[in-house]
Structures are given as C-alpha cells and as structure tokens.
Amino acid sequence: MSILPQLAFLLILGVAGYILSKRIQFLRRNILLGKAETRNDQSENRWKTMLLVAFGQQKMFKRIVPAFLHLLIYVGFLVINLEVLEFVLDGILGTHRLFAPILGGAYTLAINIFEFLAVAVLVSCVAFLIRRNVMKVERFTKPELKGWPAMDANLILVIEIILMFAILTMNATDQILAGRGDEHYVALGTLFFSSFLQPLFDGFSDGALVAIERFAWWFHIVGILAFAIYVTYSKHLHIFLAFPNTWYSNLKPKGEMQNMPEVTNEVNMMLGIPVENPAEPPAEIGRFGAKDINDLSWINVLNAYSCTECGRCTSECPANLTGKKLSPRKIMMDVRDRAEEVGKSIDAGGPGLADGKSLLGDYITKEEINACTSCNACVEACPVNIDPLSIILQLRRYVAMEESGTPAQWNAMFQNMETSFSPWKFSPSDRFNWADKVKEEEMK
Amino acid sequence: MAEMASNGQTPEVLFWVGCAGSFDERYKAVTQAFVKILNKVGVSFAVLGPEETCTGDPARRAGNEFLFQMQAVANIQVMNGYEVKKVVTACPHCFNTIKNEYPALGGNYEVIHHSQFLQQLINEGKVRLQGGGEFKGKKITFHDSCYLGRANDVYEAPREVIKALDVELVEMKRCRTKGLCCGAGGAQMFKEPEAGKKDINIERTEEALATGAQAIAVGCPFCLTMMTDGVKNKEREAEVKVYDLAEMIAKDMGI
C-alpha cells in the first residue's frame, strides 16, 4: 500500500500542530498583557474547585435543561476524543481500526458508546440551535451578541453536528464493506446507531463505499484539527480555559474588594501614622485603577478568554434586568476584544497599547460601570467562576481617582464623607442622638 | 465606649451602629430596637458614638480608594485603641467592610451581623420569644441582602430568626444565592439610577408582593429604604410592612 496517505496525514498533523502552537503563544501573550498577580495559595482548595466547577460542571446545574444538554456534549467531547487517539495512530501507522483486534468485544462496546454519545451530541446541538434561533431564549438575543458572536455560536454547533455525522457515516459504510467481505475492514458485530444509516448506502458499489468511508475518516480527523484551531479564534475556548480559570478562582469572600497598598502608604502618611520601611522608595505607581487591559490583572484577562458568552451573568444582573446598559457578559467580551486588538497590533509591529484607544471609553462606557450595584449576582451565576465585578470596580477606581469623573451625586457623597464622616450631610456630633430615645424610655 | 474604657471596663462586644443606624430616621428605630434587646438580655456592649465614622464602603465602591482608606484607617485606630475584639453590626455593608477589608489595613476583629447575633441569643435561650406576637401565623418573606448573602454566604441566620417567631416564612422566586439586589448596593444608594425601563427596587418589590406576604423582613438599612419605597410606589403600604429582623424580635419581646 502506498505510504502517501501516511505522509499526507503527518503533514496535516504537523501543520495543525504548528498553527495551534502559534495560536497558543498569541493567546498566552495576550492574557499576560494583564498585570502580574500571584494566586497560588490554598492549592488543595483550588484543585477541588476546578474538579467540581469545571470538570464536574457543578454550577451549570443551576439551570437544569441547558445543563443536561451541555453535559451530553461535554461527555461526548471527552469520550469521543479517546477515539481520536485511534484515528491519529491509524493515520500515522497506516492501519485501520488499530485497537479492534486487540480489544475484541470491548472494542465493539466502546464504538457503540461513542456512537451513542455522537447521537447525543447531535441531538443536543440541534436543541441548542433551536434555543438560539427559534425559541430565541432572551439571553441569546442581547445586543452584544449581534453579528459575529451569534454567528460564532451557530457555527460551533453546526460544525459539531457535521463532525458527528462524519463518525456515523464512516462507521456505517465501514461495516457494510466488512459485511461484504472486504478484508481491509473488520466486522464489529452490531453498531446500533450507525446501522440506521446503512440503508442509505445499500446500493453503492464497493469502490464508492470505500471512497465515502475514507472521505468521512479524513473529514472527521481534519475537521477536528481545524476545529481545534478555530476554537482559538472563538468564544469556544472555554473548553480548555475553564480548567485554569476555575483553578485561579477568587476564593475569598465575594464581598471583599482588593486593597490598594500604594494608597495605604499615602493615607498613613497623611494621618501621621509611621509607615513601615519608610526608607524604601515608593514602588513606581502606574495608574490608580484600570483604564486599559494592562491595568487589569492577568486573571481578569484569563477570565475574558474563558467566557463562552452564555449570558447567565447578564440574565441575573439587576441593572440589565431593569433595562440599564450594563451587561456583565459584554464587559468580559470587551476585555477579550481589546486584548485581541492590542495583541494583533503588537504582532503587526503596530503601536499596541499606545494606539490611542482604551478599554474604558472605546469599549466600555461610564454609563455601564456606573449602573453596577456590586451585588455579585453575575459572579455567582458564572458556570466557570468568571468575576466581571472585579473589572467594573477597577474601572470605577480609574474614573474616580485619575479622572475625577464620577457622577455629581457621588461627588457630593464623597464631600459629605470628607467633611462629616458620613455619606449623608449630618453633623458628626449628632451621631449618638438615637440613644436619647432609648435612655428616655429606660428612665420611665 | 470611651466611658466604659475610662472606667476600666471591657465590653464583650462593640455594636457598630453605622451611618444609617445613626442618622436615618427609619433606621434609627432598628438601632434602638437592637439596643433594647441587648439591654434586656444583659449583653455587655458598647458603641463608639461620635467616635464612629463611615466605614468607607460607598466611597470604595464608587472608586474613591483614598477616601475609603482615610475612613478605614481612622476607624481602625480608634477600635485598636480600645482593643476591640468583637464587632456586631446591623448593616451588611459595614459588616462586609470591617470583616473582610479592614484586616488588610490592620484591623482584625471577629465581626458578626446582627442576624447571626440574634440567632445565637435565641439558640442560647437568652432571647425568649412570646410565640410571634403580632406576627404569629402571618406570611413573611425575607429579602436577601447581597452583602450578607452572596458576599458573605450568610443565608440561614436571618431565616432562623424569622422562623423562631412562629410565622410562615415564604420565599421569593429569587432567593438565597439567586436573590435579587434591592438596587442600592455599590454606592447606588447615593445617586439616581442610570436610564432604564424600571427601577430595581420596584422589580424586587413586585416579586416580594407576589408571595402574598404580609410583611417583608430585611437585614440591611439600604434594603429597608428600597423595599419601603417600593411598597409605597405600589400603594400597598397599608397592608404590607417592611421590618428589620431586630424590630420583629423586639416587638415580640414586647420592648
């Protein structure tokens, strides 16, 4: 037999591997445009969170119907990839169904399981297409999904459906050929699901069947490699990034805002409190808060790349629910899009971050961030523990401390706090007046 | 506090009153109710009085970190000066800030919310309830405050307190981790909302009223304001009252 197919396969594998590694470098660099932050504490807890939330899909199950459909696709993805291992080995070695003789009956069982999952994935993808395009589930019709994001979502589902059809077609034709006694093909006994496709191919010649079987095989494996590359351009990156993203979850109470030590030193000096290590020159202070992606933590940018735009955050956001412009999902999409823009610009020898644009202003408006109630509903809702609130609050810090651009009513509140130590304008000496009534009653 | 300290006394707990508890006409009643409970039970407590300032929460959430830390550091100096160990407060925002954010600035205290404190007093038998009083058998719904619930995972203490009153606790559709904000958090209390199709407190009030509850229980001064305004907006204030947990307990105790 010619070794041409093997060489072709190796070439395709090599090219795909090269493109993928380039893409991974690009994504990694973009994520690291964010500021350094160390979050390696409590590693036992982090592994546990990753196992429960990413691997175990724990938070998906807050909404049972999409959780179930998603679970089928997820398990299908994990398990069918075992078969891809055989595909790759067959491709390199020029064999066909390498594991069939070794595993015997267990192989037939495994292929039947793969077929079941392929059908399950197929059905789920169709259901998801219906939810998006026919039922128009509200969170999939928000303005930030118009255009490419909606197309991206549909493309992913359609590609998955086609890939699953390729597997089933391959198995059906393969088994017809085995049944006709072609010695290259191994009879596996009953393959339940693909046997339903066999009548479609009954009248075909052997040659035609071989052609279809080979086409389906190549289509599936090349399709998977192409899909893997496509994923790096798509919101579908969550299939990989959900794992590191949950590992780097914020494990502190959700209400806690991160301290700004650079401010603490100044405050201590103003209040005449001795500063620790006063000899130490002040660390170079960049900006207070965040204006662009390089002011955010790299974990914020990782969050953005892990977002699959499901919109559970936005559908629980009180501001969004009541018609305000804020959408936590859009915040995440904006961070990712800005990181992509800067990354591409750097690679093209362009100005990168210095392109005259910024995350705040060109992507996210003050009106959006001002509408946030910091209620943590978005953080709680996210199936992969993304934290949009952290980004919103860092942007607010920039607006307040670098631009003095907070709404007038907040400025008034600041002033009250500076002069009377309360957000309302009351005399500080009246703070204890509530006790008069209690004392009066006790005197009686 | 100053008085107790000068007498060489160390109170068991510092009651952090908060700005709303000190100045807000409606919330002063909650402060008074809680103090009456503490007095009745004989808890040794102190308040900072005029030495207390805003924790800085709204300034921090609005982005003004300087102002927040000015408040925080000053408060910590006062509390550390009195060697405060334990703090109780009726405001989830103060609770969150002192508990989670003061440690990074040198303020380390055991901080609990008044719902947790009340639950402890009830469990220990120190607060003896009369079986619900005017609330007995009534339908009551509890509105989760974001800074108590999601922010700090306190969901059950307030519910236990309400249940102790022998009432029927009815839940809203969005409760506990899915609870809907009243609309006041993140410094929203201090400005008009952005343009939209509805105010958040109206959305939440409609949900609370849909349970058929005769009273809405809250554990936060901002939620109290927002829900009270919401009920007024729906012109239901004659039938549906909004109470803080401490008020309900004090009423039951007849104080």
Side-chain angles (χ1 to χ4, degrees), chain A residues 15-271:
Chain A
V15 170
Y18 175 76
I19 297 173
L20 259 183
S21 72
K22 281 281 167 205
R23 286 296 300 164
I24 291 168
Q25 278 171 33
F26 175 76
L27 295 172
R28 193 184 129 83
R29 197 272 323 276
N30 289 358
I31 289 169
L32 294 180
L33 287 170
K35 278 198 291 203
E37 180 185 352
T38 311
R39 213 185 252 183
N40 299 327
D41 59 324
Q42 310 178 54
S43 78
E44 196 180 317
N45 243 336
R46 299 196 170 280
W47 287 108
K48 213 169 90 188
T49 307
M50 188 178 92
L51 269 176
L52 278 174
V53 178
F55 190 75
Q57 315 249 301
Q58 187 189 42
K59 288 176 86 182
M60 282 298 287
F61 279 85
K62 291 184 168 194
R63 297 190 188 188
I64 200 82
V65 174
F68 180 69
L69 295 169
H70 181 270
L71 181 72
L72 293 174
I73 298 181
Y74 168 65
V75 174
F77 169 76
L78 286 183
V79 175
I80 293 172
N81 271 339
L82 292 176
E83 198 185 5
V84 174
L85 179 71
E86 190 191 37
F87 269 71
V88 172
L89 290 174
D90 278 343
I92 296 170
L93 303 171
T95 49
H96 181 71
R97 294 198 184 272
L98 176 68
F99 295 139
I102 306 168
L103 296 173
Y107 185 84
T108 305
L109 178 66
I111 299 292
N112 268 304
I113 292 172
F114 296 157
E115 284 197 352
F116 164 73
L117 288 169
V119 171
V121 169
L122 221 151
V123 170
S124 300
C125 287
V126 171
F128 279 156
L129 280 172
I130 293 171
R131 279 170 61 86
R132 278 178 185 270
N133 302 292
V134 182
M135 291 163 65
K136 297 196 186 292
V137 171
E138 207 195 343
R139 62 191 158 106
F140 300 131
T141 61
K142 296 271 171 185
E144 66 266 24
L145 288 196
K146 297 273 179 293
W148 165 246
M151 172 69 107
D152 185 22
N154 284 329
L155 266 177
I156 292 159
L157 294 168
V158 170
I159 293 171
E160 286 177 0
I161 289 171
I162 296 174
L163 288 174
M164 294 307 112
F165 259 117
I167 289 192
L168 295 168
T169 304
M170 181 192 81
N171 285 352
T173 48
D174 176 285
Q175 286 308 295
I176 297 175
L177 287 163
R180 289 182 189 175
D182 186 319
E183 60 187 34
H184 184 66
Y185 293 93
V186 191
L188 298 170
T190 309
L191 296 183
F192 182 76
F193 290 98
S194 63
S195 67
F196 290 103
L197 287 179
Q198 287 188 4
L200 289 177
F201 304 106
D202 264 350
F204 285 57
S205 69
D206 286 5
L209 285 178
V210 172
I212 294 171
E213 190 277 333
R214 281 294 84 194
F215 178 76
W217 187 92
W218 280 96
F219 185 85
H220 187 70
I221 188 67
V222 175
I224 281 181
L225 293 172
F227 189 55
I229 293 165
Y230 174 79
V231 165
T232 66
Y233 290 93
S234 143
K235 65 153 192 147
H236 210 50
L237 259 177
H238 81 293
I239 60 175
F240 303 113
L241 292 184
F243 294 89
N245 196 67
T246 47
W247 198 88
Y248 285 108
S249 294
N250 173 27
L251 298 179
K252 293 182 179 161
K254 288 194 192 70
E256 180 180 339
M257 264 178 84
Q258 216 168 26
N259 194 44
M260 292 177 71
E262 64 270 37
V263 172
T264 310
N265 282 340
E266 284 192 42
V267 167
N268 282 342
M269 280 189 278
M270 281 171 77
L271 293 174

Side-chain angles (χ1 to χ4, degrees), chain B residues 108-139:
Chain B
N108 294 287
Y109 322 101
E110 181 195 347
V111 188
I112 61 170
H113 184 246
H114 77 320
S115 63
Q116 297 169 306
F117 200 71
L118 289 171
Q119 188 201 3
Q120 284 170 17
L121 293 177
I122 294 168
N123 287 353
E124 289 164 5
K126 289 183 182 158
V127 163
R128 279 196 211 94
L129 295 169
Q130 320 291 320
E134 67 175 89
F135 300 109
K136 190 175 175 64
K138 283 197 176 161
K139 267 191 182 177

Side-chain angles (χ1 to χ4, degrees), chain B residues 19-35:
Chain B
C19 301
S22 305
F23 297 121
D24 181 271
E25 274 313 316
R26 177 68 186 83
Y27 216 67
K28 275 201 260 181
V30 176
T31 305
Q32 288 153 355
F34 187 59
V35 164

